[in-house]
Amino acid sequence: MLWDLFLLILVYVLFLNIEATMSSYGVHPNTRVPLNRSSSFTNIYPMMNEASSDGSKRVYVATFIADTPPKNGYAGGIATIDAYNFQNIKGGDTTAAVMWISNDDIDVIQAGWMVDPSYYGDSKPHFFVGWTTDGFKGKTGCINLDCTGFAPVNGAPITPGDALELVNGQAKISFKIFKNEDDGDWWLHFGQDVNNLHTTGFWPKSLFNKMEDHANKITWGGYARCYGVNPSPPMGNGQWPGKNSASIQDIQFVDTNGRGYAVPAWSLRVDSGNKKCYQASPFMNSMFYLGGPGGCTN
């Protein structure tokens, strides 16, 4: 009897030790088991260059891209992003502001906020994370905690999928993603400003093929998507870039120790696909304005 009790306790202790090795912070209890994803997975995911060839799905961006990495690649990025809600977004439409970190657009991790009534059931901005290792073909990866991949930690300041708290219809969120020198995983820190970021979770390096060691592209910007003949939704806060529009600030690269450093303007190129609906301002002082009213039908 005592021997059986001893074995039971030993197994329990070993289980706790295995869990602890997953993260020095401990895995967040909200981590979910894998889901049986349907084809709708690719429809909710804010991803680059995903417009359908038949025109049924249209995607628009206003971004700045860093894709001339140093010899050892990029280790991460930082951003402070304005977030807004949109009461008139149609079901199936999405508007978002995102930081993407990728290698050859095959391995990708991303974080930011998005409004997607079809997915979240409301028109509020939600913090989200995502990942893929097949260039968004829909066979790998997911958004938030809809599959095994991103691992939130105990005591995290936010859980992916949470609605953001707005003050006067607006919020600011800051976060950084970087490849940690100690364990090689891609870590996410989140906060209300860049000087108060807190550990939120990580993507294990074992998820990735091309991004196990480094990234070769970082993108900051706005994203909008619509279907069929629907006019495209607003981006940012719906205003053209300027002092009254949305912005992405505190843009930095991050080293493997988690320290930020300046992004030279010459290292960035702008990508604003349809300037009749969305634009980005020049990049100055580690920030740019972005947005537009939308309304594109082609």
Side-chain angles (χ1 to χ4, degrees), residues 117-182:
S118 295
Y119 180 69
Y120 291 108
D122 58 44
S123 58
K124 298 176 182 178
H126 291 253
F127 178 68
F128 85 95
V129 301
W131 67 279
T132 181
T133 59
D134 64 5
F136 301 116
K137 291 182 173 62
K139 296 181 179 179
T140 66
C142 65
I143 190 174
N144 297 333
L145 307 181
D146 287 353
C147 69
T148 299
F150 180 80
V153 299
N154 290 323
I158 195 168
T159 300
D162 283 353
L164 299 174
E165 295 184 8
L166 305 182
V167 177
N168 296 322
Q170 180 181 357
K172 282 185 181 291
I173 59 171
S174 298
F175 56 91
K176 69 177 175 181
I177 299 170
F178 71 102
K179 185 173 179 59
N180 188 290
E181 184 178 49
D182 295 330

Side-chain angles (χ1 to χ4, degrees), residues 188-210:
L188 171 69
H189 290 204
F190 177 94
Q192 301 306 313
D193 63 74
V194 293
N195 297 314
N196 292 284
L197 298 176
H198 303 281
T199 306
T200 302
F202 64 97
W203 294 268
K205 63 181 179 182
S206 59
L207 286 176
F208 304 105
N209 300 313
K210 289 179 169 291

Side-chain angles (χ1 to χ4, degrees), residues 2-103:
L2 290 176
W3 175 249
D4 291 340
L5 180 61
F6 171 77
L7 287 177
L8 183 63
I9 293 172
L10 179 61
V11 169
Y12 180 71
V13 170
L14 288 173
F15 172 76
L16 291 179
N17 285 339
I18 290 171
E19 266 204 327
T21 60
M22 294 180 70
S23 165
S24 60
Y25 292 87
V27 174
H28 194 284
N30 282 344
T31 301
R32 302 175 188 171
V33 298
L35 300 178
N36 292 322
R37 296 192 303 274
S38 69
S39 60
S40 63
F41 161 68
T42 56
N43 293 335
I44 62 171
Y45 208 177
M47 45 187 141
M48 305 291 289
N49 304 322
E50 49 139 3
S52 59
S53 58
D54 62 3
S56 62
K57 178 168 59 176
R58 306 191 311 279
V59 171
Y60 306 89
V61 297
T63 61
F64 275 92
I65 302 169
D67 57 2
T68 55
K71 185 177 181 180
N72 57 348
Y74 297 126
I78 294 178
T80 295
I81 299 179
D82 296 331
Y84 304 86
N85 64 354
F86 291 91
Q87 297 299 326
N88 298 319
I89 294 283
K90 295 182 176 65
D93 290 354
T94 301
T95 187
V98 191
M99 180 171 70
W100 295 265
I101 297 179
S102 64
N103 198 316

Side-chain angles (χ1 to χ4, degrees), residues 194-242:
V194 293
N195 297 314
N196 292 284
L197 298 176
H198 303 281
T199 306
T200 302
F202 64 97
W203 294 268
K205 63 181 179 182
S206 59
L207 286 176
F208 304 105
N209 300 313
K210 289 179 169 291
M211 218 162 68
E212 185 177 1
D213 297 319
H214 64 271
N216 62 14
K217 184 177 181 180
I218 304 179
T219 304
W220 297 265
Y223 167 99
R225 185 195 60 225
C226 60
Y227 288 87
V229 296
N230 287 346
S232 61
M235 181 188 294
N237 65 356
Q239 302 294 317
W240 293 110

